[in-house]
Amino acid sequence: MNEFNERYDTDSVREFTVSDADAGPYALTEGPDGALWFTLVHRGAVARRDPDDGHVTVHPVGDGPTVITAGPDGALWFTEYRAHRIGRLTPEGAYSSFAPRTPEGGPFGITAGPDGALWFTLSSADRVGRVTVDGEVTEYPAPGAFPSALTTGPDGALWCTLNQGNAVGRLTTDGHGTAYPLPTEGAGPVGIAAGPDGALWFTEIGAGRIGRITVDGAVTEYPLPDPAARPHAVTAGPDGALWFTEWGGGRVGRITVDGHVSSYPLSRTDCEPHGITAHDGALWCALETGSLARIEVRP
């Protein structure tokens, strides 16, 4: 595939068509080769966007590739939600996959851990898994229901959202879990990222809020201007703020560490922005309708 089509351009936002509307760009990350890699959840593929000319290369993988991250071994690692496997793809396109110990577990979130392994959630099984770069898998009980996204915290532990447990969980690398309940009922946390302030930041898709939790478990919540925004994914930006997708409103939001919120409208309110990542000095997010959006970071 070689498609590079700018379809929306404002002072701060540009969108690039990278697939047909049925392929479903879902999550993205910067690869070890400096390119932008993203999952096509409905096509069963992972794609690469060249940083120089925008050329898109598509690699078939297992069914339902969802969240993707760069691994410590120079490869891309991702969850295959419908195939119930963990996928690995080298920048050259060599694909392999590994089965978790729990069948039908619904792997969703994945991150490079502090111990040189990849950690992932099994959302349907209420478990968290660990896979080494050689494919050895270990699993632990999650500290609550429906673990979703996860990230490595500044304390050397894994932190995950417990979407149906209405909590944020902490898991040590030896499998000891702790859950921190959220103040707002029905918050439904999804995305989580380590912030520049030594805390973890997360989205509350059910409550229209952005949350912050310290490594000691103290929670602060920030309501968004649009209660129906349905914030989904979050990442630390190159400007010292946190950036997140507003799936319900077709926007990308920004929140400073002191709680000031602003947002950037995308081309359509129904463009379904999901994953977001920093890349090449800007923020990029995946729109399930077939595009990647680039949001300029302005002083």
Side-chain angles (χ1 to χ4, degrees), residues 26 108 146 148 161-164 166 182 184-191 202-211 221 224 226-233 244-249 273-274:
Y26 190 86
F108 180 79
F146 209 85
S148 298
T161 50
L162 302 170
N163 180 263
Q164 298 302 306
N166 212 58
L182 299 180
T184 301
E185 295 269 342
V190 181
F202 56 95
T203 60
E204 297 184 0
I205 196 169
R209 299 174 181 231
I210 301 298
E221 295 174 314
L224 297 178
D226 177 7
R230 298 188 67 77
H232 186 270
F244 54 93
T245 50
E246 297 184 27
W247 178 70
H274 286 293

Side-chain angles (χ1 to χ4, degrees), residues 30 47 62 136 167 191 228 255 295:
E30 182 172 282
E136 181 181 348
I255 184 168
I295 300 91

Side-chain angles (χ1 to χ4, degrees), residues 7-8 10 13 15 224 226 228-232 244-254 262-274 276 285-289 293 295:
R7 52 169 272 193
Y8 181 72
T10 70
V13 180
E15 291 182 18
L224 297 178
D226 177 7
R230 298 188 67 77
H232 186 270
F244 54 93
T245 50
E246 297 184 27
W247 178 70
R251 294 180 296 264
V252 169
R254 175 184 184 269
S262 54
S263 69
Y264 298 81
L266 300 170
S267 58
R268 291 165 44 183
T269 57
D270 63 348
C271 63
E272 298 187 62
H274 286 293
I276 188 168
C285 70
L287 313 184
E288 199 166 340
T289 47
I295 300 91

